[in-house]
Amino acid sequence: MHIIKRFIDLKRLLDDKQRRSPNQIVGFVPTMGALHEGHISLIKESCTDCDMSICSIFVNPTQFGESNDLEKYPKPIEKDIELLIDIGCDVLFLPTVEEVYPPSYTQQNFDLIGLDIVFEGKSRVGHFQGVCNVIYRFFDQIKPHRAYFGQKDFQQTVVVKKLVNITSLNTKICVVPIKREPNGLAMSSRNVRLSDNGRKKAAFINESLRLIKNNFREIGLSKSIDLAKKHILKYDNAKLDYLVVAETDTLKGVETYENKKLVALTAVNYEGVRLLDNIILT
Ligand code: AMP
């Protein structure tokens, strides 16, 4: 596996590969490291679909509101490298903050028609503009044919599709299903910050979403959302940020479900750790 730290070296490698065997499909998996089976499933999908797969590890400072969360972000780079070699990833792109954002760089403000200011964007102001800046920079430099994102960060997939749509980027966004721990908790690099007991109990987050999925046709959306909220609030140390049902492509909140493609999305703060989950309803 090549480990590359500068865009110029990555572009040189890609050009070289294209010269030797033209029309190679390049797949890209952006991550912030502390890799787990969720990330691995994205990279495996890229390796299956593409001739060459690049995984980036970059803890993007512009998408973190509280610097505290940024500092606490786990960074087990040696273990990540081993995992990437084991699954046959071709390139690890490991840039520094200065490489991604040189002094001449000015943060862009993308018009995401409001997709960036609801739900996660409301609690983490500026988060999705930060995500879009780093993704734009990576896609613009690397020009991957396909990029892989997890359904786990559902709103991010909608935002990134919009970004591609409103810019001249030519990358196909592929969404990969959520990998879960055996108890149903969505895998996340942040799960290591939960206590052992908390990690077991945190199954209640996915249970609450399944309560909506299993009941909304019979009792309606609003009552099933109430059931789910009550389930979450039974747990000490759980603070509900949001639990909403929205249209999958516009993220507009809905009251009724007829003929719409819907997703239930939640963010819960549990033992001081922000945990996200979602479930497709229709
Ligand atoms: P992160 O390192 O948290 O920025 O995540 C990098 C990518 O992995 C994002 O596209 C995430 O949505 C995806 N991802 C994170 N956790 C999971 C999971 N449990 N299942 C599937 N994809 C995931």
Side-chain angles (χ1 to χ4, degrees):
M1 182 177 72
H2 300 268
I3 301 180
I4 294 181
K5 299 196 167 177
R6 296 188 312 163
F7 285 117
I8 190 170
D9 296 327
L10 182 53
K11 283 196 267 189
R12 212 170 276 148
L13 178 81
L14 291 173
D15 287 349
D16 195 44
K17 293 248 177 202
Q18 290 289 3
R19 245 194 320 272
R20 274 194 265 159
S21 34
N23 304 323
Q24 289 217 27
I25 303 295
V26 175
F28 178 49
V29 183
T31 81
M32 297 199 299
L35 302 179
H36 51 67
E37 278 177 51
H39 299 109
I40 298 301
S41 68
L42 272 59
I43 299 161
K44 282 191 174 158
E45 195 132 331
S46 173
C47 291
T48 306
D49 296 348
C50 306
D51 301 303
M52 188 177 172
S53 293
I54 305 168
C55 170
S56 65
I57 295 183
F58 178 64
V59 184
N60 176 31
T62 68
Q63 71 187 67
F64 284 83
E66 317 153 35
S67 57
N68 209 4
D69 196 27
L70 171 63
E71 277 155 28
K72 277 193 265 174
Y73 208 83
K75 299 180 188 70
I77 188 65
E78 298 302 331
K79 192 167 154 247
D80 286 352
I81 292 175
E82 266 174 42
L83 271 172
L84 290 171
I85 293 174
D86 278 355
I87 58 163
C89 182
D90 300 290
V91 179
L92 166 59
F93 184 51
L94 198 59
T96 59
V97 175
E98 293 72 28
E99 175 68 12
V100 178
Y101 302 122
S104 57
Y105 184 82
T106 8
Q107 292 285 319
Q108 298 198 61
N109 192 45
F110 297 96
D111 181 5
L112 301 162
I113 56 161
L115 294 170
D116 55 328
I117 55 172
V118 291
F119 316 146
E120 276 306 286
K122 195 166 172 192
S123 305
R124 305 177 69 191
V125 175
H127 168 72
F128 287 115
Q129 289 296 333
V131 169
C132 286
N133 270 271
V134 76
I135 293 298
Y136 185 83
R137 183 101 174 98
F138 282 168
F139 283 14
D140 185 43
Q141 293 288 315
I142 303 170
K143 306 206 179 341
H145 299 93
R146 304 168 71 102
Y148 295 80
F149 290 85
Q151 184 202 319
K152 149 88 182 352
D153 297 281
F154 189 88
Q155 189 174 359
Q156 175 168 272
T157 65
V158 180
V159 164
V160 172
K161 282 181 191 165
K162 187 77 204 165
L163 174 73
V164 169
N165 203 249
I166 59 171
T167 57
S168 54
L169 297 171
N170 214 357
T171 298
K172 181 177 162 49
I173 304 303
C174 309
V175 180
V176 180
I178 305 175
K179 276 274 176 201
R180 300 184 177 279
E181 301 200 0
N183 67 356
L185 173 66
M187 288 184 177
S188 163
S189 308
R190 291 193 168 93
N191 291 356
V192 295
R193 283 163 47 195
L194 293 167
S195 68
D196 287 347
N197 195 27
R199 195 154 169 167
K200 281 185 206 136
K201 282 189 172 169
F204 72 84
I205 299 172
N206 185 239
E207 284 162 10
S208 72
L209 293 175
R210 281 191 281 121
L211 275 174
I212 300 179
K213 176 134 184 162
N214 295 338
N215 290 290
F216 78 95
R217 287 179 202 278
E218 216 169 294
I219 63 173
L221 282 178
S222 151
K223 281 192 182 150
S224 59
I225 293 172
D226 285 347
L227 266 184
K229 285 185 178 169
K230 277 193 193 128
H231 186 60
I232 291 173
L233 296 172
K234 277 196 290 205
Y235 287 79
D236 291 339
N237 301 325
K239 284 197 200 105
L240 177 61
D241 183 351
Y242 59 82
L243 195 165
V244 290
V245 172
E247 289 187 57
T248 51
D249 47 357
T250 62
L251 296 182
K252 285 204 180 97
V254 292
E255 307 272 302
T256 58
Y257 62 86
E258 285 83 9
N259 299 325
K260 291 175 187 150
K261 286 201 170 356
L262 299 179
V263 58
L265 304 148
T266 192
V268 177
N269 214 295
Y270 188 49
E271 292 188 334
V273 185
R274 188 175 178 81
L275 300 170
L276 305 188
D277 202 353
N278 64 79
I279 197 166
I280 301 288
L281 298 180
T282 55

